[in-house]
Amino acid sequence: FLAKLDTLAVAAAELSSIEFEDVVLSNEQQTFLYVTDVVTSSQHRRRGIANHLMDFLEDYACCNGKVTLWLHVKPENTQALAFYKNRGYTKPSFTEGMDLMRLEDNAGIANEHQMLLSQTLSHKPQARTMEMEEPPPKNTAGATGFGAAPKANKKKKSKRKK
């Protein structure tokens, strides 16, 4: 999922089932999906973009019925923890029969200490539009971080024939 303002990418998130390979037995009652790489450009934070992006992601995820979304967060990332808590994500109440070490392996975080959060959704998708509260800054040249404008190229010296 990619959020753009005009042609500038300002946020992204990924949703997949691959992380659950060999982690949980097939469950015909619901689907398990993993949320990864939710990022917002540093110049575009605190504008509701991540909330809009997660709205779209969650609507997409539950369009075929009941789904549980899972994600990992670094415990020291207090802003991300607050963000997900406000969206209803909690420590999972059920993990029986799941190979959580395999999930961490599949998610690529086996050697990192991260907190597992989940949320079960079953709502019907809503028609949403991606409207931002503020336009992007006019001058982002030289900015860093995801979605930043590339730094201006140095002018090439012209070669004159003598």
Side-chain angles (χ1 to χ4, degrees):
F1 295 84
L2 185 64
K4 290 183 175 182
L5 289 173
D6 294 322
T7 60
L8 181 66
V10 296
E14 189 177 327
L15 181 68
S16 76
S17 60
I18 294 171
E19 288 79 6
F20 284 98
E21 185 175 308
D22 299 327
V23 172
V24 65
L25 297 174
S26 176
N27 184 336
E28 295 179 15
Q29 303 297 317
Q30 70 179 11
T31 303
F32 298 101
L33 295 173
Y34 192 80
V35 179
T36 60
D37 301 324
V38 178
V39 293
T40 303
S41 162
S42 58
Q43 298 83 15
H44 297 90
R45 292 185 183 144
R46 313 288 307 158
R47 298 184 191 182
I49 295 171
N51 265 313
H52 285 298
L53 187 63
M54 288 298 292
D55 286 344
F56 277 99
L57 184 143
E58 290 170 359
D59 283 351
Y60 178 84
C62 69
C63 68
N64 291 321
K66 190 175 182 180
V67 63
T68 300
L69 298 182
W70 300 77
L71 54 90
H72 281 96
V73 179
K74 292 180 179 178
E76 64 272 13
N77 190 344
T78 56
Q79 287 183 323
L81 285 171
F83 173 76
Y84 292 118
K85 181 181 176 184
N86 287 336
R87 293 195 63 84
Y89 289 82
T90 60
K91 290 183 182 179
S93 58
F94 63 94
T95 56
E96 190 174 322
M98 293 180 72
D99 185 347
L100 296 181
M101 290 181 73
R102 177 69 177 199
L103 177 61
E104 290 177 354
D105 253 2
N106 291 351
I109 61 162
N111 296 322
E112 300 177 29
H113 175 66
Q114 295 205 19
M115 186 180 300
L116 182 63
L117 301 176
S118 70
Q119 179 175 204
T120 300
L121 305 168
S122 60
H123 65 275
K124 299 234 185 250
Q126 300 175 12
R128 300 184 192 271
T129 58
M130 196 70 167
E131 295 180 15
M132 302 301 143
E133 295 173 13
E134 299 176 36
K138 296 279 185 212
N139 182 6
T140 57
T144 59
F146 179 81
K151 292 184 179 182
N153 292 332
K154 292 181 180 178
K155 290 184 181 178
K156 292 182 180 179
K157 293 181 181 178
S158 62
K159 294 181 181 179
R160 294 184 186 170
K161 290 185 178 181
K162 293 184 179 183

